[in-house]
Amino acid sequence: MNHFLSINDVTDLNQLISSGIAAKRNPFGDIELGKNKTIGLLFFNSSLRTRISTQKAAQNLGMNVITMNVGQDGWGLEMEEGVIMNGDKAEHVKEAAAVIGSYCDVIGIRSFAGLQDREKDYAEIVFRQFQKYAEVPIVNLESATRHPLQSLADCITIEEFKIKQRPKVVLTWLPHFKALPQAVANSFCEWMNPMDVELVITHPEGYDLAPEFVGKGQVIYDQNKALEGADFVYGKNWSSYETYGQVLTDDPSWMINEAKMALTDNGKFMHCLPLRRNMKVADEVLDGPRSLVIEQAANREWSAQAALKEILLGL
Ligand SMILES: CCC[C@H](NC(=O)CCC(=O)O)C(=O)O
Ligand SMILES: NC(=O)OP(=O)(O)O
């Protein structure tokens, strides 16, 4: 595996899921694989799970880890080509990426969508520039449009907890007062498409995700109807793709509570975290037996370890 940017970099999804489950059973089985290899983790945005789980996974593989909050610890980076750098960016990505690539064998990057310019966000300029100038494998720690380490952990979790061969998986939009990226929702749909699941996507009108991510997903604007018979309910907020970056509604009736979960077939609740309690999901669900959010977050370590193992095998 040359890069881990999206599911398009995965040759065998079932093998990757099995690799993550195997790592969970034997975390140090490949401790020699990453010996004397260094991964640099670059964060342009906040993180808890991705930061800690990816560092731990790399250490489980014997790697050295360097973590950097790019905007705070380093210099502001200019991503555009050919500009006169007389603003607030002191360094160009051409130099920064090449220098970091000289220190690190692998680079992980988190850079969220700006939610101002859809064409710019969906062009993934930060990742394209680092791929071009760092000349080492790049791992997506959440980009403008995708979050593959989260989606692999989601696949591992559903495989672990499913009791039917083809479960009904419902991605439901949740209310939020500020604009959030489509990345997690996009990526979840992208990874659910090849999985043996019935994928349903429910959200208010105006929040349709880009068609290339929806794929086989059935879109139902009536949340209660969508939730009927669900085996897994995956909650996530996202801002409008059509009216890019806008919050069209924060209707609290979309919050998941026990009454909504009662519509499911003893459904389990999933969310990538962080999650705003009692705005997106009621305490009664998160504190009850339906919630898988902690198990799901714990699987981020095994998701990262499976992905990094494939990257190391390709070095
Ligand atoms: C893994 C999720 C990261 C990010 N979440 C947030 O930015 C939440 C911020 C908030 O709730 O204020 C998102 O929605 O993409
Ligand atoms: N789910 C996830 O990526 O969490 P963090 O934003 O805390 O890394």
Side-chain angles (χ1 to χ4, degrees):
M1 186 186 283
N2 294 325
H3 299 290
F4 185 70
L5 302 176
S6 78
I7 198 167
N8 299 321
D9 295 306
V10 178
T11 51
D12 184 337
L13 177 54
N14 288 326
Q15 180 276 330
L16 197 61
I17 292 169
S18 299
S19 177
I21 293 170
K24 190 171 189 174
R25 292 193 188 113
N26 182 16
F28 307 112
D30 293 306
I31 189 80
E32 292 299 320
L33 197 60
K35 191 173 180 181
N36 300 328
K37 301 293 184 193
T38 298
I39 184 169
L41 302 178
L42 308 180
F43 289 89
F44 289 79
N45 305 92
S46 305
S47 172
L48 183 157
R49 278 144 293 272
T50 306
R51 181 187 301 266
I52 298 174
S53 63
T54 309
Q55 175 158 344
K56 186 142 184 278
Q59 288 168 335
N60 291 350
L61 292 163
M63 297 181 82
N64 302 314
V65 184
I66 300 168
T67 301
M68 188 172 190
N69 300 311
V70 178
Q72 297 93 300
D73 302 338
W75 304 99
L77 299 185
E78 176 57 62
M79 297 292 163
E80 297 295 336
E81 303 269 357
V83 297
I84 298 172
M85 290 176 58
N86 56 7
D88 61 350
K89 306 283 194 311
E91 182 158 20
H92 200 276
V93 66
K94 282 187 177 183
E95 282 75 44
V99 168
I100 297 168
S102 73
Y103 301 147
C104 301
D105 302 286
V106 184
I107 298 174
I109 302 170
R110 165 166 285 196
S111 181
F112 288 173
L115 296 177
Q116 301 301 316
D117 180 335
R118 185 169 91 177
E119 188 177 345
K120 186 175 176 185
D121 279 346
Y122 276 66
E124 293 284 16
I125 186 172
V126 171
F127 285 77
R128 284 198 298 109
Q129 294 291 62
F130 268 87
Q131 273 182 275
K132 186 174 177 182
Y133 296 116
E135 298 184 334
V136 298
I138 305 296
V139 175
N140 182 345
L141 304 180
E142 186 176 341
S143 68
T145 64
R146 289 178 170 94
H147 194 355
L149 286 175
Q150 181 62 54
S151 301
L152 176 53
D154 300 336
C155 290
I156 291 169
T157 306
I158 289 170
E159 279 305 302
E160 282 183 319
F161 287 90
K162 72 180 187 182
I163 53 177
K164 296 174 188 169
Q165 178 50 44
R166 190 170 184 270
K168 178 178 177 179
V169 176
V170 178
L171 169 66
T172 179
W173 179 92
L174 301 175
H176 198 314
F177 57 81
K178 74 174 187 178
L180 296 185
Q182 296 95 35
V184 170
N186 285 347
S187 209
F188 183 70
C189 292
E190 194 169 50
W191 287 66
M192 284 299 112
N193 261 272
M195 294 282 282
D196 187 14
V197 303
E198 177 193 353
L199 177 61
V200 172
I201 306 162
T202 185
H203 51 71
E205 295 195 50
Y207 279 98
D208 291 76
L209 295 168
E212 60 266 31
F213 292 106
V214 173
K216 76 180 182 185
Q218 180 191 1
V219 177
I220 299 176
Y221 296 127
D222 179 333
Q223 186 187 46
N224 290 346
K225 184 172 185 300
L227 291 172
E228 287 173 5
D231 298 291
F232 294 92
V233 177
Y234 194 100
K236 185 67 184 75
N237 171 266
W238 63 89
S239 56
S240 176
Y241 171 75
E242 292 165 25
T243 319
Y244 193 63
Q246 297 303 304
V247 176
L248 307 178
T249 177
D250 61 352
D251 179 358
S253 73
W254 282 80
M255 182 180 82
I256 290 295
N257 56 26
E258 266 305 317
K260 299 258 183 178
M261 293 303 292
L263 297 168
T264 70
D265 183 7
N266 192 28
K268 296 292 187 184
F269 180 78
M270 296 173 70
H271 189 285
C272 63
L273 305 180
L275 186 157
R276 290 165 179 261
R277 281 175 170 250
N278 305 311
M279 184 180 83
K280 296 182 171 184
V281 189
D283 284 339
E284 61 189 11
V285 173
L286 288 171
D287 297 333
R290 296 180 183 280
S291 178
L292 293 178
V293 300
I294 303 305
E295 295 88 341
Q296 182 184 354
N299 281 336
R300 288 293 308 275
E301 180 178 351
W302 317 120
S303 158
Q305 191 160 333
L308 290 179
K309 178 177 178 179
E310 293 305 313
I311 292 282
L312 288 169
L313 290 171
L315 287 183

